[in-house]
C-alpha cells in the first residue's frame, strides 16, 4: 500500500480539500473519489506534494490567462 494525497473540490461547498488515503494504485483512489462526487484536481505522494501543487497552480494560472485573453478578444469584435 502507498499513501496518496488528493486535492479535490467538494461539489456542495466548492471548497478545496486535501484527502490522504492508502491505496494500491492511484487509479483506484481516483475512482473512489469521483464515485463520492469529488472533483479531483490532482493526486500525488507525500514526497512530491509541493512540486505537484506548484505545477497545478502554474497550469491553473496559465489557463486563467488564456481564458481572459480569449474573452478580451471576443469583446473587441
Amino acid at each position: 500500500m502507498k499513501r496518496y494525497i488528493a486535492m479535490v473540490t467538494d461539489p456542495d461547498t466548492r471548497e478545496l480539500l486535501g484527502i490522504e488515503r492508502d491505496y494500491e494504485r492511484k487509479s483506484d483512489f481516483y475512482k473512489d473519489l469521483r464515485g463520492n462526487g469529488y472533483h479531483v484536481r490532482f493526486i500525488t505522494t507525500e514526497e512530491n506534494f509541493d512540486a505537484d501543487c506548484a505545477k497545478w497552480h502554474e497550469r491553473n494560472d496559465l489557463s486563467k490567462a488564456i481564458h481572459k485573453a480569449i474573452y478580451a478578444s471576443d469583446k473587441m469584435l
Side-chain angles (χ1 to χ4, degrees):
M1 289 260 178
K2 194 170 191 177
R3 169 80 60 187
Y4 289 106
I5 302 171
M7 293 305 292
V8 299
T9 304
D10 187 324
D12 299 328
T13 62
R14 308 291 282 163
E15 289 183 34
L16 192 61
L17 306 171
I19 299 175
E20 289 187 48
R21 297 284 188 276
D22 291 326
Y23 274 86
E24 289 290 330
R25 297 185 333 218
K26 190 188 305 188
S27 61
D28 294 337
F29 189 26
Y30 179 82
K31 288 176 189 175
D32 284 347
L33 290 167
R34 295 281 297 162
N36 288 320
Y38 291 108
H39 301 276
V40 179
R41 300 297 169 224
F42 66 91
I43 299 174
T44 188
T45 60
E46 291 180 65
E47 302 85 36
N48 299 328
F49 181 78
D50 290 334
D52 289 342
C53 191
K55 286 180 194 175
W56 180 79
H57 280 290
E58 287 173 11
R59 286 192 310 259
N60 194 35
D61 291 342
L62 178 61
S63 177
K64 284 180 183 179
I66 290 169
H67 286 289
K68 281 184 181 180
I70 291 170
Y71 179 72
S73 68
D74 286 347
K75 284 179 71 175
M76 293 168 56
L77 296 177

